[in-house]
Amino acid sequence: MDSEKLYRDYPSYLRERFGCRVQKISLDAGLTCPNRDGTLGRHGCIYCNARGSGTGAADTLTIAEQIQRAKTVLARRYKAKKFLGYFQSYTNTYAPLEHLRRLYGEALSDPDVVGLSIGTRPDCVPDDVLDHLAAVSRNHLVWLEYGLQSANDATLKRIRRGHSVAAFDDAVRRTRDRALPVCAHVILGLPGESFEDMMATARFLSSRDIQAVKIHLLYVVRGTVLEQWLNSGRHRCLTRAEYARCAGEFLARLRPDIIVQRLTGDPHPEELAAPRWAIEKQKNLQAVFHYMKEHGLVQGKHV
């Protein structure tokens, strides 16, 4: 099924910009998070384990070595010719500027790396880091990826996120003042959230100056507070059909110019506690596409 007819997808955007297949390389810089180092807390968000979405690669490989290993695999699998360095694990603006400058520079020293995506929290983007990234963006594509998760402050408190919706608004404003594009991360199926709450997040994002979204399914990772909630009956996972409805309706309330970088997550199978269907990515995408076509939905229909 051609997703381009249903929503504005990320690979097409990159191909339009660079004229070839561009693939992200997930990088682990060995950083941490204020929600784990004691600044805000020590246990992280309820869905995050000690790896913080990381691979652990920083323990044994430099950034340059991670890129070289990934390039070989991605070029063979996807015929990719250019790459984006995606600083994914933990909070990738949460370190002194000089350290960040070295990390970003190491990634960009590879001639096939045409840009960066920096995954971070909206309460961890000081102006000097944004100024540096703005300077880098003169010659490279640079995205800031902010974990909002929900536009509901009560939800953010419930999941122990440690920041407010206002912090996201502030980060977006300062980022866009420097002409850097913003990708907002949201999670569907968070504890205590209704269907209406999720749709309110879509409408919120459509009203903000963002350029992309990543939509994630809330899956339960072993060793997290959320796993405890699941085992005690405090949390119930969405079914695949429920997720397809939520994601499809979310897209229908999203401005049509916003790029959709992701429609579901990619859990590590060995870490996944529930739902087991979360690892079946293609089936999950097809479920979203089927729901949208069945209900006559396309991105932006209900904006």
Side-chain angles (χ1 to χ4, degrees), residues 66 82 87 89 140 148:
Q66 291 178 54
K82 298 295 181 182
F87 285 86
S89 308
H140 300 88
L148 172 63

Side-chain angles (χ1 to χ4, degrees), residues 106-290:
E106 185 177 356
L108 291 170
S109 66
D110 188 297
D112 294 325
V113 174
V114 294
L116 303 174
S117 281
I118 312 295
T120 189
R121 293 168 56 94
D123 57 345
C124 291
V125 276
D127 285 338
D128 61 348
V129 173
L130 288 176
D131 288 340
H132 174 64
L133 290 173
V136 171
S137 72
R138 296 186 192 119
N139 298 305
H140 300 88
L141 177 63
V142 178
W143 280 84
L144 270 295
E145 299 195 19
Y146 291 131
L148 172 63
Q149 319 312 2
S150 170
N152 187 321
D153 275 325
T155 299
L156 296 183
K157 183 175 182 180
R158 187 180 305 118
I159 65 175
R160 306 179 189 178
R161 184 67 187 159
H163 66 73
S164 64
V165 176
F168 174 82
D169 272 336
D170 175 68
V172 170
R173 176 187 58 77
R174 291 185 295 111
T175 305
R176 295 300 295 143
D177 283 347
R178 293 163 172 83
L180 292 165
V182 171
C183 177
H185 290 224
V186 297
I187 299 177
L188 302 183
L190 290 167
E193 284 229 319
S194 65
F195 175 81
E196 290 72 23
D197 290 329
M198 291 180 257
M199 298 307 103
T201 294
R203 290 190 293 270
F204 169 86
L205 291 175
S206 287
S207 71
R208 265 48 181 187
D209 185 12
I210 67 163
Q211 289 62 56
V213 298
K214 280 187 176 178
I215 303 172
H216 299 269
L217 159 71
L218 180 66
Y219 53 80
V220 182
V221 174
R222 301 187 190 281
T224 62
V225 171
L226 188 60
E227 184 185 26
Q228 298 172 16
W229 289 11
L230 177 73
N231 292 338
S232 68
R234 184 174 174 181
H235 174 66
R236 181 187 72 83
C237 297
L238 294 177
T239 66
R240 180 183 278 141
E242 288 172 330
Y243 185 77
R245 177 192 178 220
C246 291
E249 297 288 352
F250 192 101
L251 289 175
R253 289 158 177 79
L254 204 62
R255 279 195 338 262
D257 63 286
I258 294 175
I259 300 161
V260 180
Q261 291 199 15
R262 180 180 287 275
L263 263 183
T264 185
D266 290 313
H268 298 288
E270 71 279 4
E271 291 185 345
L272 181 65
R276 293 308 301 175
W277 59 263
I279 61 176
E280 298 174 324
K281 183 173 183 178
Q282 290 307 311
K283 288 184 179 180
N284 300 336
L285 293 175
Q286 288 298 323
V288 176
F289 299 160
H290 177 76

Side-chain angles (χ1 to χ4, degrees), residues 54-69:
T55 62
D59 296 338
T60 56
L61 299 172
T62 66
I63 294 297
E65 288 168 341
Q66 291 178 54
I67 289 172
Q68 284 301 318
R69 286 196 177 189

